[in-house]
Amino acid sequence: MGGASLRPRASLLTPLRQYACCHGGAKMAGLAYSLGKREINQYFTVNSAKLISLFLVLLLFLLHSTSRIFGGADSCQWLLSTGHFLGNNVWQPDGCMMHNYSSTEAKACLNGKQVVFIGDSRIRALFVSFINIIASQKQSPVKRHADIYFRDNRSTAQVNFVWSPVTNNSMKERLLLLPRAPVKPDAVLVGAATWIIRDNQGRAEGLRQYKANLTSMAEALERLAQYGDVYWHIQEPVKWKALSQNRKMITDQQINLYNEGAAQALNIGASLIQPFGASRLVALETLNQSTDGLHMPESSVDVAAMVFMNSLCNKLVRPIDGSCCQTTPPLTFLQKMALCVFMGSALVFLILHFLIKRSHRRPPAPDVESLEEKKPATASGPPGAEAVCGALCRMGLIMVYFYLCDRADMFQKEQKHYSHSAFFIPLIMVFVLGLFCSESTKESRLLNREQTDEWKGWMQLVILIYHISGASAFIPVYMHVRVLVAAYLFQTGYGHLSFFWLKADFGLYRVCQVLFRLNFLVLLLCVVMDRPYQFYYFVPLVTFWFVLIYSTLAMWPQIVQKKANNSILWHLGVLLKLLGLLLLICFFASSQGLFESTFTAWPLSALFELNGSIHEWWFRWKLDRFAVMEGMLFAFLYLLLQKKQVLMEGRGETLFSAKVSIPLLLLSLQSFITYSVWASNCKSKAQCNEMHPYISVVPILAFILIRNIPGSARSMYSSFFAWFGKISLELFICQYHIWLAADTKGILVLIPGNPSLNILVSSFIFVCVAHEVSLITNVLAQLLIPKDSVVLLKRLGALGLLSLLLLVRGHTSSGA
């Protein structure tokens, strides 16, 4: 047994030794990589990875459900009683996200409401910071040791401060008066302790009297809680060394005793009185900034005030990036319909699969390719109902996961916080891994298929790291990522013109295949996640440009390579079409009013408006308005040069002669560096964005030349990046809800308390889901889009009628 077990290992080592002797260590490493890859692929496939991810999802669902049942699932308590700083200025409650309220949002939330603060100078500081949020500016210095009344002129919001620094009969009487007032308070925040500690010199008698007084006030607070929210302020620690001499008896030990006494006397946790502990938690991390030792710095008090605003307003305003104190919204009509379709598909699939026991199974998965360039694969036979229902069943399960991650209150969410290390360290690791997985290309022409997949792959990984690290806050990174988005659109123009020029296929089947693959997942998410189409801005952008490219090239006269070979005039015809497209782009870009009037007209408004505004679509369209046309022009010139045999695209050959290649490479490097220096010195995003449409093509062309002029570079590609490139569209869309959270505003937390492990697990599941979605999309594209023109037209007619009915229903319900 021992000898037999060693033979396979020896058979692997023998060729390695021979290879090392003949060709050196570098080639031995290459063979070792290929053999290792073969062995890994034998035992660990994509399907096995998906099974592991499914097991992880079920396990995490069980653990989170159990935790919520036995450990409490109230995100308001997370907001009020937990949290820590991310960096120096971002407060993160454990498990949920906090929204930064603007003055307009605060006024809308508090309109017609009354909020009362009762207590000492610490409560007064919190009151001042709270009204600063409403007023959007700092208020004038307030009176000391007196009641303060705030009324906002533009709303009916009332916020009052009652000076009552001691828990005595006076405070009790003020509390008893509040429910008898004509306008009962919607929220009351009460707190006091430091004056009692000072007046009693820290003696035990003071603590005993404090507990007795609070016990007598508990009934009044409970009565107030029947009309609104009642919060007891947990006392912050002190910076003892900075305290004045007459406050030296106020120690952290005394503060802790009084906090424990308040919790016992008011039965906090079992009564309707809620503990407000955020101020204490913030103070623990910013205590050294206190000037007098007793009062916290203004920035810390501002954080506590924003926490209080979130506890009052999140359930009313329902901000997408404020998940604390929010409950799962009720299902919409479309969400219920989608659930019925998925459940019906699952039922039919089970009947067909187990009861009828049909012989055929799921058709072979097609070659997964990225974006609009996916090619249909051939199946062994005509697919049936079982294949359709099976694909819809799997997609239904995936959509349930999407909903649980980003709509249901199941998994936790955290806010983003940018740091250079959070962006650049993962970036370096990914590129090292990508470069290690280098292989020879099947062909060596410029921008061959494997190279474009690689390009899309590493760009998509950079964009993912950019999103999860919140790197948009750093302008140099922001501008370089803007170039990556422009490069995607450049490839869109390049790929489509190349296809239509070479294949001359302007048929309806081709158009429907592309549109389906681009839009299927997004349209499904619009229904399941209750989001407008424009929310997933990149897909509307690519879809719009594909329709425009097709319209430009398909209109009379249709000019393709076979026709253009007969006369140079046909090439001029293509250039004229591109010039017409350029003029159309410039015409729309020159008039925002014309642009808005065009895309806000019904029914186009349903596709291009976001939250009732066309601004987002205008911004996205204008930012990269020339990128697609530049890609089309590059494709046309490249195919023309290739036809004239000007380029040398043999394996290992330099693309041009040495006299041309070296200056071009130097010019490309200089252009790349110049752009990076310019982007790093931008003063604002607005300034950079104005220049971006005109100069983004420079680094794109520079990269293409650097990547393709050397024959050795053109003949190699990274299989790691290319694999991700084939599912780049799915990765871009899926990240919105199952990797990021709160519609990309935050980060999904599957494993609390361990950020590194959480990223690894959530990323693994995220990639597996994106790959499966890509497979399902390809299968459904074959099943639902027939090559028979008559059948296809009937299905398009039915789809158009259904879409029109939904648009009319939405248009009517919106009151337009």
Side-chain angles (χ1 to χ4, degrees):
M1 288 294 291
S5 64
L6 289 174
R7 286 193 191 100
R9 189 176 298 274
S11 64
L12 289 176
L13 291 174
T14 301
L16 280 179
R17 294 193 189 100
Q18 294 172 351
Y19 211 80
C21 294
C22 298
H23 302 282
K27 291 190 176 181
M28 185 189 75
L31 180 60
Y33 165 72
S34 62
L35 290 172
K37 181 180 176 183
R38 190 188 312 157
E39 288 225 321
I40 290 172
N41 289 340
Q42 182 180 356
Y43 297 105
F44 188 79
T45 63
V46 174
N47 288 334
S48 61
K50 290 175 184 176
L51 288 176
I52 294 173
S53 68
L54 177 60
F55 171 76
L56 287 173
V57 169
L58 294 175
L59 179 62
L60 290 168
F61 176 78
L62 180 63
L63 291 175
H64 279 264
S65 300
T66 304
S67 174
R68 286 177 176 274
I69 293 172
F70 296 102
D74 188 357
S75 59
C76 276
Q77 290 302 316
W78 300 344
L79 172 69
L80 297 171
S81 305
T82 66
H84 58 279
F85 274 107
L86 298 175
N88 297 321
N89 56 359
V90 178
W91 182 252
Q92 173 60 64
D94 294 349
C96 62
M97 295 173 60
M98 196 172 77
H99 177 67
N100 284 321
Y101 277 86
S102 65
S103 173
T104 303
E105 291 172 324
K107 290 175 182 177
C109 165
L110 299 176
N111 190 34
K113 292 182 172 57
Q114 185 184 74
V115 182
V116 179
F117 292 77
I118 303 177
D120 53 17
S121 57
R122 286 180 161 185
I123 301 296
R124 184 180 62 211
L126 194 59
F127 160 79
V128 172
S129 184
F130 187 81
I131 63 175
N132 285 342
I133 299 173
I134 303 171
S136 72
Q137 58 184 359
K138 292 185 178 181
Q139 299 297 294
S140 56
V142 297
K143 296 179 290 184
R144 299 181 62 193
H145 303 175
D147 295 350
I148 307 169
Y149 301 95
F150 172 81
R151 301 291 185 276
D152 182 68
N153 296 329
R154 298 184 180 179
S155 69
T156 57
Q158 301 180 40
V159 186
N160 303 329
F161 170 70
V162 176
W163 172 255
S164 185
V166 181
T167 55
N168 54 17
N169 287 332
S170 175
M171 178 182 281
K172 183 178 179 180
E173 289 174 4
R174 302 296 294 267
L175 290 173
L176 290 172
L177 288 174
L178 289 175
R180 302 171 189 168
V183 180
K184 296 175 177 58
D186 297 277
V188 178
L189 177 63
V190 191
T194 55
W195 277 53
I196 303 172
I197 298 173
R198 186 197 64 182
D199 293 345
N200 287 274
Q201 296 296 309
R203 292 189 294 268
E205 175 61 23
L207 177 61
R208 187 193 64 77
Q209 189 63 43
Y210 180 75
K211 290 181 180 179
N213 290 340
L214 284 181
T215 301
S216 68
M217 285 190 288
E219 184 179 352
L221 290 171
E222 287 279 3
R223 191 178 299 117
L224 271 174
Q226 297 175 5
Y227 302 101
D229 297 322
V230 175
Y231 304 86
W232 179 261
H233 179 257
I234 307 300
Q235 293 294 308
E236 302 97 333
V238 295
K239 184 180 178 182
W240 191 80
K241 291 182 179 180
L243 290 173
S244 59
Q245 194 60 39
N246 65 334
R247 292 174 174 170
K248 286 291 185 180
M249 68 291 299
I250 306 175
T251 64
D252 285 346
Q253 182 182 9
Q254 287 289 321
I255 292 289
N256 291 335
L257 289 172
Y258 274 70
N259 282 333
E260 292 172 3
Q264 293 172 2
L266 299 176
N267 199 20
I268 293 177
S271 65
L272 295 176
I273 304 168
Q274 304 178 62
F276 186 79
S279 294
R280 175 178 175 80
L281 295 173
V282 173
L284 287 172
E285 298 197 35
T286 59
L287 194 60
N288 291 331
Q289 301 174 25
S290 175
T291 55
D292 64 0
L294 182 67
H295 301 96
M296 293 304 105
E298 187 176 334
S299 59
S300 301
V301 180
D302 289 345
V303 171
M306 191 61 73
V307 169
F308 189 51
M309 185 69 76
N310 273 255
S311 70
L312 298 180
C313 294
N314 279 6
K315 51 183 168 291
L316 300 174
V317 179
R318 301 192 68 85
I320 191 62
D321 61 339
S323 62
C324 300
C325 295
Q326 283 202 48
T327 55
T328 304
L331 294 178
T332 65
F333 170 76
L334 289 178
Q335 286 173 325
K336 292 176 181 177
M337 291 299 295
L339 182 61
C340 291
V341 169
F342 290 137
M343 292 179 66
S345 299
L347 181 61
V348 173
F349 174 74
L350 291 174
I351 292 173
L352 294 176
H353 190 75
F354 292 106
L355 299 183
I356 302 179
K357 297 185 180 298
R358 297 182 60 176
S359 59
H360 72 271
R361 290 293 179 261
R362 173 183 172 184
D367 177 29
V368 181
E369 298 169 356
S370 61
L371 295 183
E372 63 278 8
E373 298 177 13
K374 296 177 179 176
K375 300 176 182 177
T378 57
S380 56
E386 183 184 355
V388 177
C389 293
L392 289 176
C393 181
R394 297 198 307 279
M395 184 59 82
L397 291 174
I398 290 172
M399 288 299 104
V400 169
Y401 180 62
F402 271 78
Y403 186 85
L404 290 176
C405 287
D406 210 20
R407 286 298 173 269
D409 191 24
M410 174 56 63
F411 300 116
Q412 299 179 8
K413 303 174 178 65
E414 285 186 356
Q415 291 151 161
K416 299 178 187 177
H417 171 66
Y418 175 74
S419 66
H420 292 322
S421 60
F423 176 76
F424 287 104
I425 290 177
L427 193 69
I428 293 170
M429 293 171 62
V430 163
F431 271 91
V432 169
L433 184 59
L435 293 174
F436 176 72
C437 302
S438 297
E439 297 182 10
S440 296
T441 58
K442 295 177 182 177
E443 52 182 330
S444 58
R445 64 179 178 86
L446 182 141
L447 289 180
N448 57 71
R449 182 52 182 272
E450 289 152 328
Q451 187 184 132
T452 55
D453 281 342
E454 173 201 84
W455 191 5
K456 292 169 186 173
W458 70 256
M459 287 196 303
Q460 185 56 61
L461 291 175
V462 171
I463 290 173
L464 291 175
I465 296 171
Y466 165 83
H467 281 158
I468 202 166
S469 63
S472 61
F474 187 46
I475 292 180
V477 173
Y478 168 82
M479 289 311 302
H480 283 82
V481 170
R482 291 260 55 86
V483 173
L484 300 188
V485 176
Y488 268 105
L489 296 173
F490 181 94
Q491 285 195 60
T492 297
Y494 172 84
H496 283 310
L497 186 136
S498 299
F499 177 87
F500 290 125
W501 179 259
L502 297 174
K503 302 292 185 180
D505 181 4
F506 294 95
L508 183 61
Y509 173 76
R510 157 74 182 177
V511 174
C512 292
Q513 284 276 321
V514 171
L515 292 178
F516 182 87
R517 288 190 170 99
L518 284 175
N519 291 276
F520 170 69
L521 175 59
V522 162
L523 292 177
L524 194 56
L525 287 175
C526 289
V527 173
V528 174
M529 307 304 290
D530 192 25
R531 282 291 168 264
Y533 180 62
Q534 187 57 221
F535 174 75
Y536 306 93
Y537 74 91
F538 186 71
V539 170
L541 199 60
V542 176
T543 302
F544 170 82
W545 284 113
F546 169 73
V547 172
L548 204 59
I549 293 168
Y550 177 80
S551 302
T552 303
L553 299 178
M555 71 177 181
W556 185 88
Q558 290 182 0
I559 305 173
V560 296
Q561 187 182 62
K562 291 181 180 179
K563 185 183 293 186
N565 287 338
N566 300 325
S567 173
I568 192 66
L569 293 177
W570 290 115
H571 293 89
L572 294 176
V574 174
L575 292 176
L576 286 174
K577 285 191 173 188
L578 294 179
L579 178 60
L581 179 59
L582 175 62
L583 293 175
L584 181 65
I585 293 169
C586 293
F587 178 68
F588 271 105
S590 64
S591 175
Q592 185 175 352
L594 175 64
F595 185 91
E596 291 183 352
S597 62
T598 301
F599 290 101
T600 54
W602 188 83
L604 289 179
S605 58
L607 299 177
F608 296 106
E609 285 185 354
L610 182 63
N611 300 325
S613 171
I614 205 75
H615 174 75
E616 182 72 11
W617 171 240
W618 164 252
F619 171 74
R620 299 292 182 183
W621 178 87
K622 189 179 180 183
L623 197 59
D624 296 304
R625 59 187 180 274
F626 299 123
V628 170
M629 196 209 65
E630 290 161 352
M632 295 174 69
L633 181 60
F634 179 83
F636 176 73
L637 295 176
Y638 163 65
L639 293 170
L640 187 60
L641 292 175
Q642 188 184 54
K643 189 68 178 178
K644 299 297 183 181
Q645 298 183 344
V646 175
L647 306 175
M648 295 176 287
E649 295 183 296
R651 187 172 294 277
E653 284 187 297
T654 306
L655 196 61
F656 305 100
S657 63
K659 292 181 179 180
V660 177
S661 296
I662 293 175
L664 271 180
L665 278 174
L666 293 175
L667 179 62
S668 299
L669 285 171
Q670 184 181 6
S671 301
F672 219 103
I673 294 170
T674 302
Y675 177 84
S676 295
V677 170
W678 172 82
S680 300
N681 287 281
C682 273
K683 301 301 181 183
S684 67
K685 289 183 179 180
Q687 175 191 350
C688 294
N689 288 338
E690 283 297 318
M691 291 295 296
H692 173 76
Y694 306 101
I695 63 175
S696 61
V697 70
V698 174
I700 293 172
L701 292 178
F703 169 78
I704 293 173
L705 292 175
I706 294 170
R707 181 71 178 81
N708 285 277
I709 287 178
S712 57
R714 197 174 62 251
S715 303
M716 299 293 292
Y717 81 106
S718 169
S719 57
F720 176 80
F721 289 141
W723 189 88
F724 285 98
K726 292 176 180 178
I727 57 171
S728 59
L729 179 63
E730 288 76 17
L731 288 171
F732 187 86
I733 300 168
C734 289
Q735 67 166 324
Y736 277 69
H737 303 297
I738 62 170
W739 196 53
L740 303 175
D743 293 348
T744 75
K745 304 295 184 182
I747 299 171
L748 179 66
V749 179
L750 298 178
I751 302 179
N754 195 327
S756 299
L757 183 60
N758 177 67
I759 288 294
L760 287 175
V761 172
S762 65
S763 300
F764 176 73
I765 297 172
F766 159 58
V767 173
C768 290
V769 168
H771 189 274
E772 182 63 17
V773 167
S774 187
L775 291 180
I776 294 171
T777 304
N778 276 273
V779 170
L780 291 176
Q782 297 174 71
L783 299 175
L784 302 179
I785 303 176
K787 292 186 177 181
D788 188 316
S789 299
V790 176
V791 178
L792 180 56
L793 286 172
K794 289 181 180 179
R795 293 186 181 180
L796 288 177
L799 178 63
L801 180 60
L802 177 62
S803 301
L804 183 62
L805 291 174
L806 291 175
L807 285 172
V808 170
R809 183 180 184 274
H811 189 65
T812 305
S813 61
S814 64

